[in-house]
Coordinates of all heavy atoms in Angstrom, one line a residue:
M1 N 3.8 -1.3 4.9 CA 2.8 -0.5 4.0 C 1.6 -0.3 4.8 O 1.0 -1.3 5.3 CB 2.5 -1.2 2.7 CG 3.7 -1.5 1.9 SD 3.3 -2.4 0.4 CE 2.0 -1.4 -0.3
Q2 N 1.1 1.0 4.9 CA -0.1 1.2 5.5 C -1.1 1.7 4.5 O -1.0 2.8 4.0 CB 0.1 2.3 6.6 CG 1.0 1.7 7.7 CD 1.2 2.7 8.9 OE1 1.4 3.9 8.6 NE2 1.1 2.2 10.1
V3 N -2.1 0.9 4.2 CA -3.1 1.2 3.2 C -4.3 1.8 3.9 O -4.8 1.2 4.8 CB -3.5 0.0 2.4 CG1 -4.6 0.3 1.3 CG2 -2.3 -0.7 1.7
C4 N -4.7 3.0 3.4 CA -6.0 3.6 4.0 C -7.1 2.8 3.4 O -7.3 2.8 2.2 CB -6.1 5.0 3.7 SG -7.6 5.7 4.3
T5 N -8.0 2.3 4.3 CA -9.2 1.7 3.9 C -10.4 2.4 4.5 O -11.5 1.8 4.6 CB -9.2 0.1 4.3 OG1 -9.0 0.1 5.7 CG2 -8.1 -0.6 3.6
D6 N -10.2 3.6 5.0 CA -11.3 4.4 5.6 C -12.3 4.7 4.5 O -12.1 4.5 3.3 CB -10.7 5.7 6.2 CG -11.5 6.2 7.4 OD1 -12.5 5.7 7.6 OD2 -11.0 7.1 8.0
L7 N -13.5 5.1 4.9 CA -14.7 5.2 4.0 C -14.4 6.0 2.7 O -14.7 5.4 1.6 CB -15.8 5.8 4.7 CG -17.1 5.9 3.9 CD1 -17.5 4.5 3.3 CD2 -18.3 6.6 4.7
P8 N -13.8 7.2 2.7 CA -13.6 7.8 1.4 C -12.7 7.1 0.5 O -13.0 7.0 -0.7 CB -13.0 9.2 1.9 CG -13.5 9.4 3.2 CD -13.5 8.0 3.9
C9 N -11.7 6.4 1.0 CA -10.8 5.6 0.2 C -11.6 4.4 -0.3 O -11.4 3.9 -1.4 CB -9.5 5.3 0.9 SG -8.4 6.7 0.9
A10 N -12.4 3.8 0.6 CA -13.1 2.6 0.3 C -14.0 2.9 -0.9 O -14.2 2.0 -1.8 CB -13.9 2.1 1.5
L11 N -14.6 4.1 -0.9 CA -15.5 4.4 -2.0 C -14.7 4.6 -3.3 O -15.3 4.6 -4.4 CB -16.2 5.8 -1.7 CG -17.2 5.6 -0.6 CD1 -17.7 7.0 -0.2 CD2 -18.3 4.7 -0.9
R12 N -13.4 4.7 -3.3 CA -12.5 4.8 -4.4 C -11.8 3.5 -4.7 O -10.7 3.5 -5.4 CB -11.6 6.0 -4.3 CG -12.2 7.4 -4.3 CD -11.2 8.5 -4.2 NE -10.2 8.5 -5.2 CZ -10.3 9.0 -6.4 NH1 -11.4 9.6 -6.7 NH2 -9.3 8.9 -7.2
G13 N -12.3 2.4 -4.1 CA -11.7 1.1 -4.4 C -10.6 0.6 -3.5 O -9.9 -0.4 -3.9
A14 N -10.4 1.2 -2.3 CA -9.3 0.7 -1.4 C -9.5 -0.7 -1.0 O -8.5 -1.4 -0.8 CB -9.3 1.7 -0.2
E15 N -10.7 -1.1 -0.8 CA -10.9 -2.5 -0.2 C -10.5 -3.6 -1.3 O -9.8 -4.5 -1.0 CB -12.3 -2.7 0.2 CG -12.6 -1.9 1.5 CD -14.0 -2.0 2.0 OE1 -14.9 -2.5 1.2 OE2 -14.2 -1.6 3.2
E16 N -10.9 -3.3 -2.6 CA -10.6 -4.2 -3.7 C -9.1 -4.1 -3.9 O -8.4 -5.2 -4.1 CB -11.3 -3.8 -4.9 CG -11.0 -4.7 -6.1 CD -11.7 -4.3 -7.4 OE1 -12.5 -3.3 -7.3 OE2 -11.5 -5.0 -8.4
F17 N -8.5 -2.9 -3.8 CA -7.1 -2.8 -3.9 C -6.3 -3.6 -2.9 O -5.4 -4.4 -3.2 CB -6.7 -1.3 -3.8 CG -5.2 -1.0 -3.7 CD1 -4.4 -1.0 -4.8 CD2 -4.6 -0.8 -2.5 CE1 -3.1 -0.8 -4.8 CE2 -3.2 -0.6 -2.4 CZ -2.5 -0.5 -3.5
M18 N -6.8 -3.5 -1.6 CA -6.2 -4.3 -0.5 C -6.3 -5.8 -0.7 O -5.4 -6.5 -0.6 CB -6.8 -3.9 0.8 CG -6.2 -4.6 2.0 SD -4.5 -4.1 2.3 CE -4.8 -3.0 3.8
D19 N -7.5 -6.2 -1.1 CA -7.7 -7.7 -1.4 C -6.8 -8.1 -2.4 O -6.2 -9.2 -2.3 CB -9.2 -8.0 -1.8 CG -10.1 -7.8 -0.6 OD1 -9.7 -7.8 0.5 OD2 -11.3 -7.7 -1.0
N20 N -6.7 -7.4 -3.5 CA -5.8 -7.9 -4.6 C -4.3 -7.8 -4.2 O -3.5 -8.7 -4.6 CB -6.0 -7.0 -5.9 CG -7.3 -7.3 -6.5 OD1 -7.9 -8.4 -6.4 ND2 -7.9 -6.3 -7.2
L21 N -4.0 -6.8 -3.4 CA -2.6 -6.7 -2.9 C -2.2 -7.8 -2.1 O -1.2 -8.5 -2.2 CB -2.4 -5.4 -2.2 CG -1.0 -5.0 -1.9 CD1 -0.1 -4.9 -3.1 CD2 -1.0 -3.6 -1.2
C22 N -3.1 -8.2 -1.2 CA -2.9 -9.4 -0.3 C -2.7 -10.6 -1.2 O -1.8 -11.4 -0.9 CB -4.2 -9.6 0.6 SG -4.3 -8.5 2.0
G23 N -3.5 -10.8 -2.2 CA -3.4 -11.9 -3.1 C -2.0 -12.0 -3.8 O -1.4 -13.0 -3.8
N24 N -1.6 -10.8 -4.2 CA -0.3 -10.8 -4.9 C 0.8 -11.0 -4.0 O 1.9 -11.6 -4.4 CB -0.1 -9.4 -5.6 CG -0.8 -9.4 -7.0 OD1 -0.1 -9.7 -8.0 ND2 -2.1 -9.1 -7.0
L25 N 0.8 -10.5 -2.7 CA 1.9 -10.7 -1.8 C 1.8 -12.1 -1.1 O 2.8 -12.5 -0.4 CB 1.8 -9.6 -0.7 CG 2.2 -8.2 -1.3 CD1 1.9 -7.1 -0.2 CD2 3.6 -8.1 -1.7
G26 N 0.6 -12.7 -1.1 CA 0.5 -14.0 -0.4 C 0.4 -13.8 1.1 O 0.8 -14.8 1.8
I27 N -0.1 -12.7 1.5 CA -0.3 -12.5 3.0 C -1.7 -11.9 3.2 O -2.3 -11.4 2.3 CB 0.8 -11.6 3.6 CG1 0.8 -10.2 2.9 CG2 2.2 -12.2 3.5 CD1 1.8 -9.2 3.5
K28 N -2.0 -11.9 4.5 CA -3.3 -11.2 4.9 C -2.9 -9.9 5.6 O -1.7 -9.6 5.9 CB -4.0 -12.1 5.9 CG -4.5 -13.4 5.4 CD -5.1 -14.2 6.4 CE -5.5 -15.6 5.9 NZ -5.9 -16.5 6.9
V29 N -3.9 -9.0 5.8 CA -3.7 -7.8 6.4 C -3.1 -8.0 7.8 O -3.6 -8.9 8.6 CB -5.0 -6.9 6.5 CG1 -4.8 -5.7 7.4 CG2 -5.5 -6.6 5.1
G30 N -2.1 -7.3 8.2 CA -1.4 -7.5 9.5 C -0.2 -8.5 9.5 O 0.5 -8.6 10.5
E31 N 0.0 -9.2 8.3 CA 1.1 -10.1 8.2 C 2.2 -9.5 7.4 O 2.1 -8.4 6.8 CB 0.6 -11.4 7.4 CG -0.4 -12.2 8.2 CD -0.9 -13.4 7.5 OE1 -0.7 -13.5 6.2 OE2 -1.4 -14.3 8.2
T32 N 3.4 -10.2 7.5 CA 4.6 -9.8 6.8 C 5.0 -10.8 5.8 O 4.9 -12.0 6.1 CB 5.7 -9.6 7.9 OG1 5.3 -8.6 8.8 CG2 7.1 -9.1 7.2
T33 N 5.5 -10.4 4.7 CA 6.0 -11.3 3.7 C 7.1 -12.2 4.2 O 7.8 -11.8 5.1 CB 6.4 -10.6 2.4 OG1 7.4 -9.6 2.8 CG2 5.3 -9.9 1.7
A34 N 7.3 -13.4 3.6 CA 8.3 -14.3 4.1 C 9.7 -13.7 4.0 O 10.6 -14.1 4.9 CB 8.3 -15.6 3.2
D35 N 10.0 -12.8 3.1 CA 11.3 -12.2 3.1 C 11.5 -11.0 4.1 O 12.5 -10.5 4.2 CB 11.6 -11.7 1.6 CG 10.7 -10.6 1.2 OD1 9.8 -10.2 2.0 OD2 10.7 -10.2 0.0
G36 N 10.4 -10.8 4.8 CA 10.5 -9.7 5.9 C 10.5 -8.3 5.3 O 10.6 -7.4 6.1
L37 N 10.2 -8.1 4.1 CA 10.3 -6.8 3.5 C 9.0 -6.0 3.7 O 9.1 -4.8 3.9 CB 10.6 -6.9 2.0 CG 10.8 -5.6 1.3 CD1 12.0 -4.8 1.8 CD2 11.0 -5.8 -0.3
V38 N 7.9 -6.6 3.5 CA 6.6 -5.9 3.5 C 5.7 -6.4 4.6 O 5.4 -7.6 4.7 CB 5.9 -6.1 2.2 CG1 4.6 -5.3 2.2 CG2 6.8 -5.5 1.1
T39 N 5.3 -5.5 5.5 CA 4.2 -5.7 6.4 C 3.0 -4.9 5.9 O 3.2 -3.7 5.6 CB 4.6 -5.3 7.9 OG1 5.7 -6.1 8.3 CG2 3.4 -5.5 8.8
L40 N 1.8 -5.5 5.8 CA 0.7 -4.8 5.3 C -0.3 -4.5 6.4 O -0.7 -5.4 7.2 CB 0.0 -5.8 4.3 CG -1.0 -5.2 3.3 CD1 -0.4 -4.0 2.5 CD2 -1.4 -6.3 2.3
E41 N -0.7 -3.2 6.5 CA -1.6 -2.8 7.5 C -2.7 -1.9 6.9 O -2.5 -1.2 5.9 CB -0.9 -1.9 8.6 CG 0.2 -2.6 9.3 CD 0.9 -1.7 10.4 OE1 0.9 -0.4 10.1 OE2 1.4 -2.2 11.3
A42 N -3.9 -2.1 7.5 CA -5.0 -1.2 7.1 C -5.1 -0.1 8.1 O -5.1 -0.4 9.3 CB -6.3 -2.0 7.0
V43 N -5.2 1.1 7.6 CA -5.2 2.3 8.6 C -6.3 3.2 8.2 O -7.0 3.1 7.1 CB -3.9 3.0 8.6 CG1 -2.7 2.1 9.0 CG2 -3.6 3.6 7.2
M44 N -6.6 4.1 9.1 CA -7.6 5.1 8.9 C -7.0 6.3 8.1 O -5.9 6.3 7.8 CB -8.2 5.6 10.3 CG -8.8 4.5 11.1 SD -10.2 3.6 10.3 CE -11.4 4.8 10.7
C45 N -7.8 7.3 7.9 CA -7.5 8.4 7.0 C -6.1 8.9 7.1 O -5.6 9.2 8.3 CB -8.5 9.5 7.3 SG -8.3 10.9 6.0
L46 N -5.4 9.0 6.0 CA -4.1 9.6 5.9 C -4.1 10.9 5.2 O -3.0 11.4 4.8 CB -3.1 8.6 5.2 CG -2.9 7.2 5.9 CD1 -2.1 6.3 5.0 CD2 -2.1 7.5 7.2
A47 N -5.2 11.5 5.1 CA -5.4 12.9 4.5 C -5.0 12.9 3.1 O -4.4 13.9 2.6 CB -4.6 13.9 5.4
S48 N -5.3 11.8 2.3 CA -5.1 11.8 0.9 C -6.3 11.2 0.2 O -6.2 10.5 -0.8 CB -3.8 11.0 0.6 OG -3.4 11.3 -0.7
C49 N -7.5 11.6 0.7 CA -8.7 10.9 0.4 C -9.1 10.9 -1.1 O -9.6 10.0 -1.6 CB -9.9 11.5 1.2 SG -9.5 11.8 2.9
D50 N -8.7 12.0 -1.7 CA -9.1 12.2 -3.1 C -8.1 11.5 -4.1 O -8.3 11.6 -5.3 CB -9.3 13.7 -3.5 CG -8.0 14.4 -3.3 OD1 -7.3 14.1 -2.3 OD2 -7.8 15.4 -4.0
R51 N -7.1 10.9 -3.5 CA -6.1 10.3 -4.4 C -6.0 8.8 -4.1 O -4.9 8.2 -4.4 CB -4.7 11.0 -4.1 CG -4.7 12.4 -4.6 CD -3.4 13.1 -4.4 NE -3.1 13.4 -3.0 CZ -3.5 14.5 -2.3 NH1 -4.3 15.4 -2.9 NH2 -3.2 14.6 -1.1
A52 N -7.0 8.1 -3.6 CA -7.1 6.7 -3.4 C -7.2 5.9 -4.7 O -7.6 6.5 -5.7 CB -8.2 6.4 -2.4
P53 N -6.8 4.7 -4.7 CA -6.1 4.0 -3.6 C -4.7 4.6 -3.2 O -4.0 4.9 -4.1 CB -6.0 2.5 -4.1 CG -7.0 2.4 -5.2 CD -7.1 3.8 -5.8
M54 N -4.5 4.6 -2.0 CA -3.2 5.2 -1.5 C -2.7 4.5 -0.3 O -3.5 3.8 0.4 CB -3.4 6.7 -1.3 CG -4.3 7.1 -0.1 SD -3.5 6.9 1.5 CE -2.1 8.0 1.3
F55 N -1.4 4.6 -0.1 CA -0.8 4.0 1.1 C 0.4 4.8 1.4 O 0.9 5.6 0.6 CB -0.5 2.5 0.9 CG 0.4 2.2 -0.2 CD1 1.8 2.3 -0.1 CD2 -0.2 1.8 -1.5 CE1 2.6 1.9 -1.2 CE2 0.6 1.5 -2.5 CZ 2.0 1.6 -2.4
Q56 N 1.0 4.6 2.6 CA 2.2 5.1 2.9 C 3.2 4.0 3.2 O 2.8 3.0 3.7 CB 2.2 6.1 4.1 CG 1.8 5.6 5.4 CD 1.7 6.6 6.5 OE1 1.7 7.8 6.2 NE2 1.5 6.2 7.7
T57 N 4.5 4.3 3.0 CA 5.5 3.3 3.3 C 6.5 4.0 4.3 O 6.6 5.2 4.3 CB 6.3 2.9 2.0 OG1 6.8 4.0 1.4 CG2 5.4 2.1 1.1
Q58 N 7.1 3.1 5.1 CA 8.1 3.6 6.1 C 9.3 2.8 5.9 O 9.3 1.6 5.9 CB 7.6 3.5 7.5 CG 8.5 4.0 8.5 CD 7.9 4.1 9.9 OE1 6.8 3.6 10.1 NE2 8.6 4.6 10.9
G59 N 10.4 3.5 5.5 CA 11.6 2.8 5.3 C 12.8 3.7 5.7 O 12.6 4.7 6.5
P60 N 14.0 3.4 5.3 CA 15.2 4.1 5.7 C 15.1 5.6 5.4 O 15.7 6.4 6.1 CB 16.3 3.4 4.9 CG 15.8 2.2 4.5 CD 14.3 2.3 4.4
D61 N 14.4 5.9 4.3 CA 14.2 7.3 3.9 C 13.1 8.0 4.5 O 12.7 9.1 4.1 CB 14.1 7.4 2.4 CG 15.3 6.8 1.7 OD1 16.4 6.8 2.3 OD2 15.2 6.3 0.5
G62 N 12.4 7.4 5.5 CA 11.3 8.1 6.2 C 9.9 7.6 5.6 O 9.9 6.5 4.9
I63 N 8.9 8.4 5.8 CA 7.6 8.0 5.4 C 7.3 8.6 4.0 O 7.6 9.8 3.8 CB 6.6 8.5 6.4 CG1 6.8 7.7 7.7 CG2 5.1 8.2 5.9 CD1 5.9 8.2 8.9
K64 N 6.8 7.8 3.1 CA 6.4 8.4 1.7 C 5.0 8.0 1.4 O 4.6 6.9 1.7 CB 7.4 7.8 0.7 CG 8.8 8.2 0.8 CD 9.7 7.7 -0.3 CE 11.1 8.2 -0.2 NZ 11.9 7.7 -1.2
Y65 N 4.3 8.9 0.8 CA 3.0 8.7 0.3 C 3.0 8.2 -1.1 O 3.8 8.6 -1.9 CB 2.2 10.0 0.3 CG 1.4 10.3 1.6 CD1 2.0 10.0 2.8 CD2 0.2 10.8 1.6 CE1 1.4 10.3 4.1 CE2 -0.5 11.1 2.8 CZ 0.1 10.8 4.0 OH -0.6 11.1 5.2
H66 N 2.0 7.3 -1.4 CA 1.9 6.8 -2.8 C 0.4 6.9 -3.1 O -0.4 6.1 -2.5 CB 2.4 5.3 -2.8 CG 3.8 5.1 -2.4 ND1 4.9 5.3 -3.2 CD2 4.3 4.9 -1.1 CE1 6.0 5.1 -2.5 NE2 5.7 4.9 -1.2
D67 N 0.1 7.8 -4.0 CA -1.3 8.1 -4.4 C -1.6 7.4 -5.7 O -0.8 7.1 -6.6 CB -1.5 9.6 -4.5 CG -1.2 10.3 -3.2 OD1 -1.5 9.7 -2.1 OD2 -0.6 11.4 -3.2
Y68 N -3.0 7.3 -6.0 CA -3.5 6.9 -7.3 C -2.9 5.5 -7.6 O -2.5 5.3 -8.8 CB -3.3 7.8 -8.4 CG -3.9 9.2 -8.2 CD1 -3.1 10.3 -8.1 CD2 -5.3 9.4 -8.1 CE1 -3.7 11.6 -7.9 CE2 -5.9 10.6 -8.0 CZ -5.0 11.7 -7.8 OH -5.6 13.0 -7.7
M69 N -2.7 4.6 -6.6 CA -1.9 3.4 -6.9 C -2.8 2.3 -7.5 O -4.0 2.2 -7.2 CB -1.3 2.9 -5.6 CG -0.2 3.8 -5.1 SD 1.1 4.1 -6.3 CE 2.0 2.5 -6.2
T70 N -2.2 1.5 -8.3 CA -2.8 0.2 -8.8 C -2.0 -0.9 -8.1 O -0.8 -0.7 -7.7 CB -2.7 0.1 -10.3 OG1 -1.3 0.1 -10.7 CG2 -3.4 1.3 -11.0
V71 N -2.5 -2.1 -8.2 CA -1.7 -3.2 -7.7 C -0.5 -3.5 -8.5 O 0.6 -3.7 -8.0 CB -2.6 -4.5 -7.6 CG1 -1.8 -5.7 -7.3 CG2 -3.7 -4.3 -6.6
D72 N -0.6 -3.3 -9.8 CA 0.6 -3.5 -10.7 C 1.7 -2.5 -10.3 O 2.9 -2.9 -10.2 CB 0.2 -3.3 -12.1 CG -0.6 -4.6 -12.7 OD1 -0.6 -5.6 -12.0 OD2 -1.2 -4.4 -13.8
R73 N 1.3 -1.2 -10.1 CA 2.3 -0.2 -9.8 C 2.9 -0.5 -8.4 O 4.1 -0.3 -8.1 CB 1.7 1.2 -9.9 CG 1.5 1.6 -11.3 CD 0.9 3.0 -11.4 NE 1.7 4.0 -10.6 CZ 1.1 5.0 -9.9 NH1 -0.2 5.2 -10.0 NH2 1.8 5.8 -9.2
T74 N 2.1 -1.0 -7.5 CA 2.5 -1.3 -6.1 C 3.6 -2.5 -6.2 O 4.6 -2.4 -5.5 CB 1.4 -1.6 -5.2 OG1 0.5 -0.6 -5.2 CG2 1.8 -1.9 -3.8
M75 N 3.3 -3.5 -7.0 CA 4.2 -4.6 -7.1 C 5.5 -4.2 -7.7 O 6.6 -4.6 -7.3 CB 3.6 -5.8 -7.8 CG 2.3 -6.4 -7.1 SD 2.6 -6.8 -5.4 CE 3.7 -8.2 -5.7
E76 N 5.4 -3.3 -8.7 CA 6.7 -2.7 -9.3 C 7.5 -1.9 -8.2 O 8.7 -2.1 -8.1 CB 6.3 -1.8 -10.4 CG 5.8 -2.5 -11.7 CD 5.3 -1.6 -12.7 OE1 5.5 -0.3 -12.6 OE2 4.7 -2.0 -13.7
L77 N 6.8 -1.2 -7.4 CA 7.4 -0.5 -6.3 C 8.1 -1.4 -5.3 O 9.3 -1.2 -4.9 CB 6.4 0.4 -5.5 CG 6.9 1.1 -4.3 CD1 7.9 2.2 -4.6 CD2 5.7 1.7 -3.5
I78 N 7.4 -2.5 -5.0 CA 8.0 -3.5 -4.0 C 9.2 -4.1 -4.7 O 10.3 -4.3 -4.0 CB 6.9 -4.5 -3.7 CG1 5.9 -3.8 -2.8 CG2 7.6 -5.7 -3.0 CD1 4.7 -4.7 -2.5
E79 N 9.2 -4.5 -6.0 CA 10.3 -5.1 -6.6 C 11.5 -4.1 -6.6 O 12.7 -4.5 -6.4 CB 10.0 -5.5 -8.1 CG 9.1 -6.7 -8.1 CD 9.7 -7.9 -7.4 OE1 10.8 -8.2 -7.6 OE2 8.9 -8.6 -6.7
A80 N 11.2 -2.8 -6.8 CA 12.3 -1.8 -6.8 C 12.9 -1.7 -5.4 O 14.1 -1.5 -5.3 CB 11.7 -0.4 -7.2
L81 N 12.1 -1.8 -4.4 CA 12.6 -1.7 -3.0 C 13.5 -2.9 -2.7 O 14.5 -2.8 -2.0 CB 11.4 -1.7 -2.0 CG 10.6 -0.4 -1.9 CD1 9.4 -0.6 -1.1 CD2 11.5 0.7 -1.4
K82 N 13.1 -4.1 -3.3 CA 13.9 -5.3 -3.1 C 15.3 -5.1 -3.6 O 16.3 -5.6 -3.1 CB 13.3 -6.5 -3.7 CG 12.1 -7.0 -2.9 CD 11.5 -8.2 -3.6 CE 10.3 -8.8 -2.9 NZ 9.6 -9.9 -3.6
E83 N 15.4 -4.4 -4.8 CA 16.7 -4.2 -5.4 C 17.6 -3.2 -4.6 O 18.8 -3.3 -4.7 CB 16.5 -3.7 -6.8 CG 15.8 -4.7 -7.8 CD 15.6 -4.1 -9.1 OE1 16.0 -3.0 -9.4 OE2 14.8 -4.8 -9.9
T84 N 17.0 -2.4 -3.9 CA 17.8 -1.5 -3.0 C 18.1 -2.0 -1.7 O 18.9 -1.5 -0.9 CB 17.0 -0.1 -2.8 OG1 15.9 -0.4 -2.1 CG2 16.7 0.6 -4.1
K85 N 17.5 -3.2 -1.3 CA 17.7 -3.8 0.0 C 19.1 -4.4 0.1 O 19.7 -4.9 -0.8 CB 16.7 -4.9 0.2 CG 16.8 -5.5 1.5 CD 15.6 -6.5 1.7 CE 15.8 -7.3 3.0 NZ 14.9 -8.4 3.1
Ligands
FES1 S1 -10.0 8.3 3.9 FE1 -8.2 7.5 3.0 S2 -6.8 9.1 3.0 FE2 -8.6 9.9 3.8

């Protein structure tokens, strides 16, 4: 997961989103979860500045954008990904 923490997204709560996501996943930025499913990265602008917090995921289906995200919705997404694994 690549979370944009660039300035425009930061102004829309990206840093708090990232901190809470790290807490929920039990990892720090740059680390991977114990099950190997999620690696969390902070990245610069992904051209979705007005829809932050946002991140992109890279998986078997390619790269997908996830806009207007909350930590709860992100954790639901991760749980759904685990079921397809
Ligand atoms: S600054 Fe985050 S998508 Fe542009």
Side-chain angles (χ1 to χ4, degrees):
M1 299 177 56
Q2 295 182 319
V3 179
C4 176
T5 56
D6 211 349
L7 181 59
C9 284
L11 293 173
R12 293 181 56 86
E15 291 178 344
E16 181 180 359
F17 173 80
M18 181 68 104
D19 287 346
N20 289 334
L21 190 56
C22 285
N24 275 267
L25 291 171
I27 60 174
K28 297 176 183 171
V29 175
E31 294 181 342
T32 302
T33 54
D35 61 7
L37 183 63
V38 178
T39 298
L40 197 54
E41 297 178 337
V43 298
M44 302 300 279
C45 187
L46 294 171
S48 193
C49 319
D50 59 329
R51 295 182 288 274
M54 66 80 57
F55 58 85
Q56 67 180 10
T57 54
Q58 184 172 1
D61 299 334
I63 295 174
K64 293 185 178 176
Y65 271 40
H66 303 274
D67 299 324
Y68 300 114
M69 292 304 286
T70 64
V71 172
D72 287 346
R73 286 180 52 215
T74 304
M75 296 308 293
E76 289 173 9
L77 172 69
I78 291 169
E79 288 304 314
L81 288 172
K82 286 181 181 176
E83 291 175 11
T84 63
K85 186 178 174 189

